[in-house]
Amino acid sequence: MRSLKLLFVSTSVGALGSGLGGGVELTLRNLAIALHQRGHSVTVVAPDGSKLESFSLVEIVGNLQTTAQSQGREAPITMPSNPVIGNLWSYVRQVQSCYDLILNFAYDWLPFYLTPFFTTPIAHLVSMGSLSDAMDQAILDVADSFPNTIAVHSHAQAQTFEMGFTYFNLQNGLDLSQYQFCLEAGDFLAWVGRIAPEKGLEDAVQAAAQTGLPLKIFGVIQDAAYWQQIQTDYPQAAMEWMGFLSTQELQKALGPAQALLMTPKWVEAFGNVAIEALACGVPVIAYRRGGPAEIIQSGYSGWLVEPDSVEELVQAIHKIPQISRTICHREAEMHYSLAALGDRAEAWFKLILQNEAID
Ligand code: UDP
């Protein structure tokens, strides 16, 4: 494939590096590295205050969007004054002719709505499952009018959209050189993610408490009231909030965990934290739904259990010694390397640009 000039347009719910963008922040960084390694040029445009080393970064001021997962299914589209998402896309409109392809990372209505008004093709990486009627319609319209331009992270995520559409399953990948394999497990369990109701932290807290193993919690506190409630409800649980760590610090602290517990209440689109744990050699115990159910092979790289069953989580925790940490690490290498991600991304871009003589 000839080298492409790519413009990445970040999420508009938080600055890159803040943690508010969830997995999108790491996904964007890894895709940028994977594509840069293949000779493509990547420029990133993101909200003011963003941090992203080694890439040309254009920062745009404005007020952040509210996260889609905190709104109801019938919620109308809202826009703050001086919206950063509007400002991002005004900038993109002005520079679009300098790029071969624009890649949208925002789970927001506006970039989908604007797609037909642009002359440079826009690829949309949809990072969450179906959450609102307005977004469903916007995604469907683009999928119909611009074939191949929608990618998702898992089949389960795509299936949450009732009116099916054609999608590319990009999955995800990691810069594995940033994760150290840790053969020896310590005596704690880990939970990693945004602390917000859809992530179901309370189930992991209960399961860990029942086994007597302490639970180390890593991630940004997105919903302070929810976090407070968990502490009130389970005062005896041995849990420790470790803060929101950089990838480097996170993998170091996560490596010795006996297992990662993934207890989301929603259909997790992918779950970057699952492959980060595998990269460190940490088995994953997850509910059997959404992305984690497509990543984890039960009995091999962890255990998949009945969704919302704390009892089954506890049973799985007792079976952690049956899982080989070496196999977990190998799973990450086989399926979730930057090379694997880059292969998939290029295959997706070829589909989008097939009429534009890029080979
Ligand atoms: N994360 C991090 N530091 C932490 C905890 C989490 O960088 O201390 C990152 C983690 O690497 C992952 C993201 O937060 O990329 C969570 O993404 P995931 O796909 O699991 O869930 P999302 O937040 O997108 O729903």
Side-chain angles (χ1 to χ4, degrees), residues 22-23 26 192 194 199 218-219 243-245 266 268 271-273 276:
L26 186 66
V192 187
R194 290 176 292 106
K199 293 291 189 175
F218 303 88
F244 176 73
L245 307 185
W266 68 351
E268 185 80 42
N272 277 346
V273 300
E276 294 187 87

Side-chain angles (χ1 to χ4, degrees), residues 199-342:
K199 293 291 189 175
L201 171 59
E202 64 277 23
D203 290 11
V205 168
Q206 289 174 71
Q210 286 183 33
T211 61
L213 283 167
L215 183 68
K216 290 191 182 176
I217 300 164
F218 303 88
V220 82
I221 298 174
Q222 197 167 40
D223 186 329
Y226 170 71
W227 173 231
Q228 189 54 50
Q229 192 63 47
I230 289 177
Q231 287 166 289
T232 309
D233 290 346
Y234 309 103
Q236 311 296 346
M239 57 177 157
E240 189 182 359
W241 181 59
M242 310 297 290
F244 176 73
L245 307 185
S246 66
T247 299
Q248 175 56 25
E249 292 168 323
L250 177 64
Q251 64 84 30
K252 202 168 163 202
L254 177 62
Q258 289 205 359
L260 174 78
L261 302 185
M262 285 189 79
T263 48
K265 296 284 159 184
W266 68 351
V267 175
E268 185 80 42
F270 187 76
N272 277 346
V273 300
I275 60 173
E276 294 187 87
L278 294 180
C280 299
V282 176
V284 179
I285 296 173
Y287 289 148
R288 189 182 289 105
R289 72 176 156 216
E294 293 175 25
I295 299 168
I296 304 306
Q297 292 190 55
S298 198
Y300 190 69
S301 50
W303 296 102
L304 294 173
V305 307
E306 178 64 23
D308 310 318
S309 168
V310 171
E311 198 187 317
E312 286 206 14
L313 287 173
V314 172
Q315 288 164 8
I317 292 167
H318 290 306
K319 293 192 293 184
I320 294 169
Q322 295 178 31
I323 305 296
S324 152
R325 295 173 72 90
T326 307
I327 282 180
C328 293
H329 178 65
R330 212 175 291 148
E331 279 289 288
E333 285 182 333
M334 293 266 290
H335 304 293
Y336 304 110
S337 64
L338 283 188
L341 177 65

Side-chain angles (χ1 to χ4, degrees), residues 38-100:
R38 283 156 186 259
H40 304 293
S41 83
V42 179
T43 301
V44 179
V45 49
D48 189 34
S50 287
K51 289 183 184 58
L52 186 71
E53 280 159 28
S54 322
F55 287 94
S56 146
L57 176 69
V58 181
E59 294 181 57
I60 303 285
V61 295
N63 292 315
L64 298 171
Q65 286 300 107
T66 315
T67 55
Q69 65 269 33
S70 60
Q71 321 275 298
R73 172 151 284 283
E74 280 155 34
I77 301 302
T78 57
M79 205 54 80
S81 61
N82 187 26
V84 74
I85 192 163
N87 299 344
L88 284 164
W89 285 90
S90 292
Y91 172 81
V92 175
R93 184 175 58 80
Q94 287 164 38
V95 299
Q96 61 175 319
S97 61
C98 305
Y99 296 92
D100 297 305

